[in-house]
Amino acid sequence: MSALPRVLVAPVTVTPSKPLTPSHLKGLLWTDVLYRATALVADTTYRYSPTTYHPTEQTLGFWYYLDQHHGDVDYSQMSEEEIGDLYVAYRARATKVSAAALRPYADAVENTGWVHPAGARVLQLWTGHYALLGLHDPGLEVHQPPGLGLEETLEQLKPAGAVLDQRADGGPVYLDATRYGLPLRQIVTADGRPNYLACALRELLPLAPEYDEVVLLYDSGLERDYQLVARLLSLRGPAVRRISVSRVPVNGRVTSARHGDWHDHSFGALLRVMDGRCSPESFRLGMRLYFVASLGRGQQESFRLDRLVHWTVRAQRLLDRSRTAPAGTGTALLDRCRSGHSYIDPYRLVSSLLDRRRSAPDPGLLSEVLL
Amino acid sequence: MTLTPELLLDTAVRRMLTSRPELVAECDLSSPAGLAAVRNSLNEADELAVVSVIRSVDLPGWVRETCLFALSLDEATARAWRRSFTRTIFLAGQPGNLRERFALTRVAPDGSVAWVGPAPVAATRTLRRLLKTFVADRPVDAAPPTVVELPTPGGRAARHALHRDLYLAVSGHTVGETLIQLNHLLVEAVQDGLINGGDRLTLRHVPRLNGLRAPVEALRVDIDHDNPDRLRAYAALTEPLPQR
């Protein structure tokens, strides 16, 4: 019998500085279904390390801002909405923090695994949310440093001509896949600040050769960046699959969390509305039916709480039917959710549950993948 | 050489007269602002430009390769480019990664820089979209004088090789600004026959050009970026040095 394929599931991470919004929930649920289903048929690793992305300006700049403007305050009792409000205030400022000012923060993150108490508080709250949603926790509160330093990463990419480093002349560092027709992409500023792509490569470059397949999940606005990442990782051997999942519009508009207009549809707000309406199982399954199967990859439909309620009712009916269904039918279903790749397509899996022509879902599959 | 606002303005106006005489009649060339207005009035779509793709900068090597690029152009092409004030767009990129997709007019042997054009600006749109504006904010280092030797080309009208000093004002200038200014001086000096294959240039860094003792044959003048209502001398090419 041949060994199971080795699959690395590597989604883009959410910066722990704000509440989870429908767009974040969609990405997390898509990733979770993909990971847990694929883990049944492949040797699967889920890599999601907030540690890797702390060195970005977006995060370090926020922490520096908090310490400069709010001093030593107790974040351990704050809600993620309260911390998110501080983040919105930070992002509204036009001034950029210098690399020199951020250096002590960057050094602490790199050398000691330090996390600012505001970031630690958000990650602690998210750990609770993951448990409530039945999401696999990939180590939100665990120190998981990337395998390579920034300079090592650049040195590894240079022989292939994939890095254009102009720091010696006072310029930035670019990823260079122009030979494949992809535009230059800056990854480090002239004064040495890495962006999230530089951080992603520090993590993924050393991991890639250990896998047969790498699955990248990201929001569709990052398509070009992930084309680049996929190209560079594939040079290291694995097949690289890109899954772009669009953000969820709210009232017809797709907005970034940094603008702060999430108050009536953050995960906390959603929980307050759903409280007492359904069982924990139907909430978990309903969330997956809604965010994965109903909303799909695209962004045609705006977020609607009444639709989520509808899907939890539907989930309860599925759960009821599955109680009398025979176990062991899940394997054949999983096989139908793969075509030319090792990972399980979450959309095909979840939407297949809604096919009325099919028999009731395997209760084992439900509990292992969707609850 | 004593620099005065009048001398700087006169130098800039003469350059405009040489490049685009028809523009001079209808414009106010009595101030730096008038000069800038003329340049801004040009319709980009009608102009030619060279795209220079830069991987890394070693200034003496870059001077040599820039002269060789200018020497490689035929007279009609050079004249047309001169009419567009030898406009050059500097982009960050690695020529080695672009060779298969783009027809590069010339590539330095070490791959540090390449040129495309002169061509209508629209003709290089695909290349420009792939690359980014070259940023080099490092101040130009104080460096000892360095001799740049141009190889003797085939096919050019022969004249005996000359040696000149090339003075560069470095105070407050970044590598990026320096390339822009020096590029105009060098390619126009080649077009005017002041620099030819086989010549030698001694690159000399000085804080400012005012008070230079050597007789100057070509002076690069542009708007002073610190004081946009003034002009400033950025680089100077001397008369030939006496043969030893």
Side-chain angles (χ1 to χ4, degrees):
Chain A
M1 188 178 148
S2 62
L4 290 176
R6 297 160 303 169
V7 177
L8 175 66
V9 179
V12 71
T13 63
V14 186
T15 313
S17 54
K18 63 225 168 189
L20 295 174
T21 64
S23 293
H24 299 136
L25 293 168
K26 182 178 171 184
L28 295 176
L29 290 161
W30 270 73
T31 305
D32 188 72
V33 173
L34 185 149
Y35 164 65
R36 286 165 65 194
T38 305
L40 297 176
V41 295
D43 179 1
T44 309
T45 304
Y46 181 173
R47 179 70 183 187
Y48 184 109
S49 161
T51 312
T52 298
Y53 296 92
H54 288 334
T56 57
E57 186 178 350
Q58 188 185 357
T59 298
L60 297 186
F62 176 47
W63 292 350
Y64 174 83
Y65 163 83
L66 289 177
D67 290 347
Q68 289 294 307
H69 290 81
H70 298 279
D72 296 321
V73 297
D74 182 6
Y75 294 97
S76 68
Q77 302 304 313
M78 282 193 188
S79 70
E80 56 203 305
E81 283 85 356
E82 287 170 317
I83 292 172
D85 285 338
L86 297 173
Y87 182 66
V88 171
Y90 158 66
R91 292 300 297 252
R93 293 160 53 88
T95 49
K96 286 223 164 194
V97 183
S98 73
L102 296 184
R103 192 144 299 126
Y105 290 81
D107 288 346
V109 165
E110 294 281 356
N111 301 327
T112 69
W114 179 81
V115 181
H116 190 279
R121 171 62 178 160
V122 172
L123 289 169
Q124 180 196 32
L125 290 166
W126 286 359
T127 302
H129 296 339
Y130 273 47
L132 207 58
L133 283 163
L135 296 172
H136 170 78
D137 180 355
L140 291 181
E141 296 184 276
V142 180
H143 178 55
Q144 302 181 78
L148 290 177
L150 178 61
E151 296 305 323
E152 290 173 293
T153 304
L154 300 180
E155 287 309 312
Q156 291 205 5
L157 290 168
K158 278 177 186 173
V163 161
L164 173 55
D165 183 353
Q166 299 194 319
R167 286 176 295 178
D169 290 318
V173 181
Y174 302 96
L175 281 185
D176 186 349
T178 52
R179 70 170 69 220
Y180 307 110
L182 299 172
L184 284 186
R185 173 69 162 97
Q186 182 178 312
I187 55 168
V188 183
T189 60
D191 60 3
R193 286 172 290 184
N195 69 5
Y196 85 99
L197 264 186
C199 294
L201 289 168
R202 286 179 58 185
E203 174 168 86
L204 297 177
L205 271 188
L207 290 175
E210 297 172 22
Y211 295 90
D212 301 304
E213 187 167 290
V214 176
V215 187
L216 303 170
L217 292 104
Y218 50 92
D219 84 56
S220 52
L222 306 177
E223 185 66 49
R224 283 197 159 191
D225 283 351
Y226 272 84
Q227 280 179 10
L228 258 175
V229 172
R231 177 66 74 169
L232 297 176
L233 296 184
S234 64
L235 296 175
R236 307 221 145 198
V240 183
R241 317 291 181 192
R242 291 183 287 114
I243 302 180
S244 77
V245 181
S246 294
R247 292 178 180 220
V248 183
V250 175
N251 300 323
R253 290 195 318 134
V254 175
T255 55
S256 167
R258 67 172 173 269
H259 298 121
D261 43 3
W262 29 250
H263 281 277
D264 56 355
H265 54 271
S266 67
F267 185 59
L270 187 151
L271 282 180
R272 285 191 287 278
V273 172
M274 298 303 292
D275 189 31
R277 283 178 183 260
C278 57
S279 69
E281 289 76 20
S282 61
F283 176 62
R284 289 176 178 182
L285 184 56
M287 287 287 282
R288 286 157 175 82
L289 294 176
Y290 179 52
F291 280 101
V292 180
S294 174
L295 292 180
R297 266 200 210 200
Q299 58 180 48
Q300 290 83 355
E301 250 184 79
S302 280
F303 176 71
R304 281 174 51 187
L305 266 170
D306 62 317
R307 296 300 296 158
L308 176 58
V309 172
H310 162 83
W311 284 107
T312 56
V313 172
R314 192 85 192 263
Q316 189 58 54
R317 286 207 295 269
L318 270 175
L319 287 165
D320 293 343
R321 283 176 63 212
S322 80
R323 282 188 237 289
T324 56
T329 55
T331 315
L333 175 58
L334 291 178
D335 280 341
R336 285 197 296 273
C337 299
R338 294 197 282 186
S339 52
H341 47 74
S342 297
Y343 75 85
I344 301 296
D345 182 330
Y347 177 78
R348 283 165 76 176
L349 176 62
V350 179
S351 40
S352 72
L353 302 180
L354 304 172
D355 187 341
R356 292 178 195 277
R357 292 166 300 177
R358 290 190 199 282
S359 51
D362 177 347
L365 183 70
L366 282 187
S367 68
E368 286 193 71
V369 178
L370 299 162
L371 296 178
Chain B
M1 179 181 63
T2 302
L3 297 178
T4 61
E6 294 73 26
L7 173 68
L8 296 178
L9 184 62
D10 181 59
T11 304
V13 170
R14 272 193 287 115
R15 175 174 183 252
M16 202 158 273
L17 263 171
T18 310
S19 305
R20 203 73 167 253
E22 80 277 9
L23 284 179
V24 175
E26 49 201 64
C27 299
D28 166 25
L29 299 178
S30 62
S31 69
L35 288 171
V38 174
R39 224 166 18 188
N40 295 337
S41 71
L42 299 177
N43 181 359
E44 185 176 85
D46 301 333
E47 301 299 319
L48 295 186
V50 162
V51 171
S52 179
V53 178
I54 298 181
R55 186 196 67 200
S56 56
V57 180
D58 147 55
L59 205 50
W62 179 86
V63 166
R64 183 184 62 247
E65 294 303 322
T66 298
C67 292
L68 293 177
F69 166 67
L71 284 163
S72 73
L73 301 177
D74 63 61
E75 270 191 50
T77 306
R79 205 177 312 120
W81 186 29
R82 186 70 171 262
R83 280 183 54 73
S84 293
F85 301 104
T86 56
R87 184 174 173 210
T88 305
I89 300 165
F90 291 96
L91 300 178
Q94 300 192 85
N97 283 351
L98 301 167
R99 283 172 190 266
E100 288 179 16
R101 287 180 171 266
F102 298 94
L104 305 177
T105 310
R106 183 182 165 82
V107 182
D110 65 357
S112 61
V113 56
W115 289 265
V116 177
V121 173
T124 54
R125 185 179 293 129
T126 309
L127 177 64
R128 286 185 286 115
R129 282 187 177 167
L130 215 51
L131 304 179
K132 303 279 187 215
T133 300
F134 178 65
V135 175
D137 288 338
R138 176 173 65 81
V140 182
D141 298 327
T146 310
V147 178
V148 176
E149 298 194 20
L150 302 179
T152 309
R156 276 244 156 194
R159 67 151 166 74
H160 69 277
L162 299 175
H163 185 184
R164 298 172 190 268
D165 281 335
L166 174 59
Y167 284 93
L168 189 58
V170 299
S171 172
H173 293 168
T174 64
V175 170
E177 292 160 348
T178 298
L179 295 196
I180 292 169
Q181 302 298 344
L182 206 45
N183 177 64
H184 288 297
L185 179 77
L186 292 171
V187 299
E188 290 170 21
V190 166
Q191 292 167 359
D192 293 338
L194 302 181
I195 297 175
N196 206 344
D199 286 356
R200 285 187 299 158
L201 304 170
T202 299
L203 186 59
R204 296 180 185 277
H205 293 195
V206 291
R208 298 278 288 212
L209 296 177
N210 202 5
L212 208 63
R213 287 169 182 268
V216 167
E217 194 150 0
L219 186 64
R220 170 63 191 171
V221 171
D222 200 2
I223 304 289
D224 183 337
H225 57 76
D226 292 330
N227 302 285
D229 55 340
R230 283 191 211 155
L231 293 170
R232 181 158 164 180
Y234 285 87
L237 189 66
T238 67
E239 290 180 359
L241 304 177
Q243 300 283 342
R244 288 184 185 171

